[in-house]
Amino acid sequence: MFAIAVIAMIYHMFYGMQKSYGNLEGALAIMANGALILQFPVAHSFLLSQRGQKILSLLGPKDLAISLSTTSFTIVASIQLFALFMLWSPSKIVFELPFEFLIYILPILYCLSWFLLIVATIDAGLEVQSGALGWISVLARKKPKFPELPTTGLYRIIRHPIYASFFLAVLTVPTWTADQIVVSLILGGYCIFAPILKDRRLIERHGEKYLRYKNTTPYMLPSKIIK
């Protein structure tokens, strides 16, 4: 499900959300699209909270709830993203790029952004990010062993490379439409501010170790400007 959701994101944003399958028009389309775009950041952030974690524990067998928590979270997030990108109702308002060279540059930058996101996901621990850790733990009949705090690879350069890479992806789409502007504004904004909450969670989880990492590694820009 995780892979399907990622493919849906890559494909539909490449075409500026014009290939999505929603068929609503007018006010109904605006309301439906608004609900689709807002449900992801709102629910995603909530499910990462303590209350959200309790709800996730109810989604699987009681004796496996803890082991499958990461899997449940990833499945829910994947369904959210799949719904957003598949059910969006296109406006059919397409903008021409202001410069011809962007026709060639943007697809390259878009692919590069997704490449960086994949690398960052691997650096963070592919088992956790894909939701596979839960089932691996269940099959091995042991508690999930979460990877250590990632500080190598892209995480050596910035603290939140997954968010940064996705932010680049929503800015470098090859096809710009009214729909894509909305998607880029909402999801791009989420990418900028959501890591603030993630920092807080990681401080609670790792304590002084994360504080030292936070003080020496920039937020999302590979510089000392943002910490």
Side-chain angles (χ1 to χ4, degrees), residues 1-15 17 19-21 78 81-82 85-86 110 114 117-118 166:
M1 192 66 198
F2 172 76
I4 293 174
V6 171
I7 292 171
M9 281 192 291
I10 295 173
Y11 176 78
H12 288 292
M13 284 205 301
F14 186 93
Y15 291 104
M17 305 297 288
K19 299 288 187 179
S20 300
Y21 297 103
S78 298
L81 289 171
F82 187 78
F85 289 98
M86 296 295 287
Y110 186 68
W114 281 102
L117 196 151
I118 292 171
F166 190 69

Side-chain angles (χ1 to χ4, degrees), residues 36-219:
L36 285 170
I37 191 65
L38 292 176
Q39 55 86 24
F40 177 74
V42 172
H44 193 261
S45 295
F46 173 73
L47 291 175
L48 286 170
S49 67
Q50 291 184 352
R51 288 185 178 181
Q53 291 296 308
K54 290 180 180 179
I55 292 177
L56 285 174
S57 67
L58 301 175
L59 299 181
K62 190 173 182 180
D63 55 333
L64 300 177
I66 296 177
S67 296
L68 292 177
S69 61
T70 56
T71 299
S72 298
F73 176 79
T74 303
I75 290 174
V76 172
S78 298
I79 292 173
Q80 288 181 273
L81 289 171
F82 187 78
L84 165 59
F85 289 98
M86 296 295 287
L87 301 180
W88 186 274
S89 296
S91 68
K92 299 181 175 61
I93 301 175
V94 182
F95 302 111
E96 290 188 8
L97 295 174
F99 305 105
E100 185 177 355
F101 73 88
L102 291 175
I103 297 174
Y104 309 101
I105 295 297
L106 285 179
I108 296 173
L109 294 177
Y110 186 68
C111 292
L112 178 61
S113 299
W114 281 102
F115 173 75
L116 290 174
L117 196 151
I118 292 171
V119 172
T121 300
I122 294 172
D123 288 342
L126 186 59
E127 298 91 347
V128 176
Q129 302 299 319
S130 66
L133 179 63
W135 285 115
I136 291 173
S137 302
V138 169
L139 293 174
R141 296 182 179 180
K142 59 182 181 181
K143 291 183 178 181
K145 184 179 180 181
F146 291 91
E148 293 292 324
L149 175 68
T151 57
T152 59
L154 293 178
Y155 284 86
R156 187 170 61 87
I157 303 171
I158 55 176
R159 298 200 304 275
H160 303 289
I162 291 179
Y163 285 105
S165 299
F166 190 69
F167 180 75
L168 290 176
V170 300
L171 289 184
T172 58
V173 291
T175 306
W176 279 97
T177 64
D179 310 85
Q180 187 58 52
I181 288 175
V182 173
V183 170
S184 293
L185 284 174
I186 300 298
L187 296 187
Y190 181 69
C191 287
I192 292 174
F193 294 106
I196 296 174
L197 299 177
K198 185 173 183 179
D199 274 343
R200 294 175 183 173
R201 292 193 301 271
L202 290 173
I203 289 172
E204 291 178 359
R205 182 181 302 172
H206 298 284
E208 190 64 32
K209 183 177 181 180
Y210 188 77
L211 285 173
R212 289 195 300 269
Y213 172 68
K214 180 176 181 290
N215 289 332
T216 57
T217 311
Y219 187 69

